[in-house]
Amino acid sequence: KQEVTQIPAALSVPEGENLVLNCSFTDSAIYNLQWFRQDPGKGLTSLLLIQSSQREQTSGRLNASLDKSSGRSTLYIAASQPGDSATYLCAVSNDMRFGAGTRLTVKP
Amino acid sequence: NAGVMQNPRHLVRRRGQEARLRCSPMKGHSHVYWYRQLPEEGLKFMVYLQKENIIDESGMPKERFSAEFPKEGPSILRIQQVVRGDSAAYFCASSRESGSPNNEQFFGPGTRLTVL
């Protein structure tokens, strides 16, 4: 059974810092890994999808990497801004198992 | 191209009543997934449907919960005889395909169910 873990559970940084969020999974037989953002009381916004054959994906200040063999993915956020404050979730497919998320706070 | 639509956004029910949650997938998407998010917890998969078929309901409670995705119209998640523990946010997602590296899911805004 796939287990997805996200570390840290919460992170608080000053504005402008670069930061890394971690996601690990136990079963490397995945189709893809998806990173989402969830604002309080809102739905999920898809940030990046990394296919199983890819190593990384970039969108603006976001960069996500995937190492299937070690069961890890990282989400790198450059030059963080207060508007980045949200909960970040990773999910692995086949069966879309979610991690519990990392709650990020970027202080002005 | 409208995203995934869910309604109602907020639903209040008394214990023992029925709750019906609706989800319209994105245009061109024939795969629908339902998730539940309990307060301060992560998302839990409930059920995966294609048109007129339930593909995987391994996350669905065995009693009181049912889901359908008819040939015409939205997908419906139905909860009978609701209890306070059913209070949660219910999210629907859709995708164009499944079982492939291109399977990107897009989420609706959720329905927040409160059981009094």
Side-chain angles (χ1 to χ4, degrees):
Chain A
K1 180 184 172 184
Q2 181 73 272
E3 301 277 346
V4 181
T5 305
Q6 289 189 247
I7 294 173
L11 181 64
S12 181
V13 300
E15 183 176 4
E17 269 203 13
N18 303 324
L19 57 100
V20 175
L21 308 180
N22 298 290
C23 172
S24 61
F25 48 95
T26 54
D27 185 349
S28 61
I30 63 172
Y31 285 121
N32 59 49
L33 184 145
Q34 207 167 342
W35 281 94
F36 296 89
R37 166 188 174 137
Q38 185 176 28
D39 293 282
K42 304 288 186 182
L44 277 70
T45 301
S46 179
L47 298 174
L48 290 164
L49 177 139
I50 312 177
Q51 297 181 15
S52 58
S53 60
Q54 297 174 328
R55 298 284 298 198
E56 66 178 336
Q57 283 287 332
T58 298
S59 175
R61 294 183 293 109
L62 305 179
N63 176 276
S65 68
L66 175 64
D67 183 344
K68 264 182 44 174
S69 60
S70 65
R72 291 181 194 171
S73 176
T74 62
L75 179 67
Y76 175 82
I77 303 177
S80 58
Q81 302 171 359
D84 294 331
S85 298
T87 296
Y88 290 81
L89 298 158
C90 69
V92 295
S93 180
N94 315 341
D95 48 6
M96 286 302 280
R97 291 284 183 255
F98 277 82
T102 294
R103 189 176 302 175
L104 173 66
T105 303
V106 181
K107 298 178 180 177
Chain B
N1 184 14
V4 179
M5 310 282 283
Q6 288 187 252
N7 67 81
R9 295 291 304 277
H10 300 273
L11 182 61
V12 179
R13 285 287 178 268
R14 296 191 182 280
R15 280 180 298 170
Q17 291 184 320
E18 178 181 285
R20 291 172 70 88
L21 288 63
R22 284 176 287 278
C23 169
S24 297
M26 284 179 68
K27 187 176 180 181
H29 287 192
S30 59
H31 303 261
V32 166
Y33 313 79
W34 285 94
Y35 299 85
R36 178 165 64 175
Q37 187 174 39
L38 293 166
E40 302 303 319
E41 291 190 18
L43 268 79
K44 303 293 185 195
F45 167 80
M46 297 181 73
V47 62
Y48 159 42
L49 311 100
Q50 293 181 28
K51 285 283 188 181
E52 300 184 279
N53 286 303
I54 295 175
I55 306 301
D56 180 356
E57 56 182 348
S58 58
M60 192 100 96
K62 294 287 186 289
E63 297 178 350
R64 301 188 298 107
F65 285 73
S66 63
E68 63 176 10
F69 189 16
K71 187 176 180 180
E72 301 291 336
S75 175
I76 306 287
L77 179 67
R78 183 181 176 205
I79 311 172
Q80 295 179 290
Q81 299 176 319
V82 296
V83 301
R84 288 217 173 103
D86 296 332
S87 296
Y90 293 83
F91 291 97
C92 165
S94 74
S95 66
R96 187 179 300 277
E97 53 190 280
S98 177
S100 82
N102 293 318
N103 177 29
E104 184 171 8
Q105 292 197 9
F106 296 88
F107 279 73
T111 293
R112 277 151 186 82
L113 172 65
T114 301
V115 179
L116 302 177

